[in-house]
Amino acid sequence: MNLVTTWTTLKESDSANLVLCVDFTETGRAEAGFPDLLAKMDYDGTFWHVSPPAVAPGADIDGAAYVRSWFEPLKASGRKVHAVMGYCIGAVYAAELVKLLEEEQGEAPRLILFDPEPTSLENIYFQFGKVFGILSSILNEEDVAETREAMDRPLQQEGVTVEGYATQLYAKFRDVGHRAFDRAGLDPEYSEEMWGTFSAFLSFLTYADHLDPWEGWQRATAVSSSNPRNGLNGLRASGRDAVVAEELRFDKGHDVLLTDDEIARAVTKLLER
């Protein structure tokens, strides 16, 4: 399968410093993203943001091949990467990219993570629920009931994997969504564009489960919010203590972690080290 990943320029600079940003924002989420952070930062560098391939969960690939498609354009660019930043589940991929880049350029880029956490069934459920909520206005009662059952039933069963769960959700919601779009008379081209974004988002959540970020995170600086369920706070609450090289804790919400002035200044200092 030919996976196509592109890197979008968020900020251009004549500086040799290239910083990669790993996050998924195309679903119109409420949380701030890396463009919000850069607007508050005073750092002379070029920033690229990943646009992952639109591949559906359950495709015949694994997490290593998925991330390799991100790495190949970087390798082809000939640019040396100064730092990699990852938000939430993007932190899993950020650690994998640092490992690949270290092999390529002989030294590891700095790794900065914002509320890092692995993917999980609960995370898929929560994130899918937000997308489901956005489209609920064009769904009828039968659509909603079918989708809710597909969301809830697997969580009550044993042996359900992240990939299996995401694949089921994608298949069910595509079926339900097509019916809803037909009723609403929406343009087929818009429909396919929306499904491309949705499949890319679910894959972003899914293939992180194929990767092991724990060793890579040991060299990272983590920027933690005060939200008890997010990032390292949530991991500790569940009994798992992820080890990072350094943790900067802020009394800020998870949703504003990438748009806070104090955090922007702290990240600028990290990149200037």
Side-chain angles (χ1 to χ4, degrees), residues 39-236:
K40 301 291 183 70
M41 289 175 58
D42 182 20
Y43 178 74
D44 187 17
T46 294
F47 290 79
W48 289 357
H49 194 288
V50 70
S51 296
V55 55
D60 188 23
I61 63 170
D62 59 20
Y66 182 71
V67 178
R68 177 66 64 172
S69 78
W70 302 16
F71 172 68
E72 292 302 332
L74 301 173
K75 182 178 178 180
S77 75
R79 298 282 300 266
K80 184 176 181 179
V81 177
H82 173 65
V84 182
M85 304 195 296
Y87 176 78
C88 198
I89 290 170
V92 176
Y93 296 111
E96 190 72 12
L97 279 175
V98 164
K99 182 170 69 174
L100 294 171
L101 288 163
E102 182 177 22
E103 295 171 357
E104 176 66 22
Q105 55 188 48
E107 61 179 304
R110 179 174 296 280
L111 181 57
I112 303 173
L113 311 176
F114 300 82
D115 271 351
E117 57 187 58
T119 195
S120 64
L121 294 176
E122 291 74 17
N123 201 298
I124 299 275
Y125 179 91
F126 176 70
Q127 297 294 345
F128 178 86
K130 291 196 294 185
V131 175
F132 175 49
I134 293 172
L135 296 177
S136 61
S137 62
I138 64 170
L139 303 178
N140 60 27
E141 291 184 4
E142 181 183 355
D143 296 333
V144 172
E146 281 189 36
T147 306
R148 280 294 176 193
E149 182 184 13
M151 290 175 64
D152 296 339
R153 180 170 36 79
L155 297 184
Q156 302 164 6
Q157 300 170 343
E158 294 184 3
V160 178
T161 66
V162 164
E163 186 170 356
Y165 184 47
T167 301
Q168 290 180 51
L169 285 181
Y170 179 74
K172 172 53 66 177
F173 202 43
R174 188 172 174 90
D175 178 48
V176 167
H178 271 307
R179 297 201 311 257
F181 288 171
D182 287 343
R183 287 196 307 269
L186 295 179
D187 187 282
E189 185 175 335
Y190 167 79
S191 173
E192 287 308 311
E193 180 180 336
M194 195 281 294
W195 289 120
T197 300
F198 183 55
S199 63
F201 177 54
L202 268 184
S203 293
F204 183 84
L205 298 176
T206 299
Y207 292 116
D209 193 50
H210 293 189
L211 304 172
D212 184 352
W214 307 107
E215 182 177 348
W217 286 1
Q218 291 179 23
R219 67 173 70 183
T221 296
V223 178
S224 294
S225 72
S226 58
N227 285 39
R229 293 181 56 186
N230 292 107
L232 300 183
N233 297 329
L235 288 171
R236 292 178 183 124

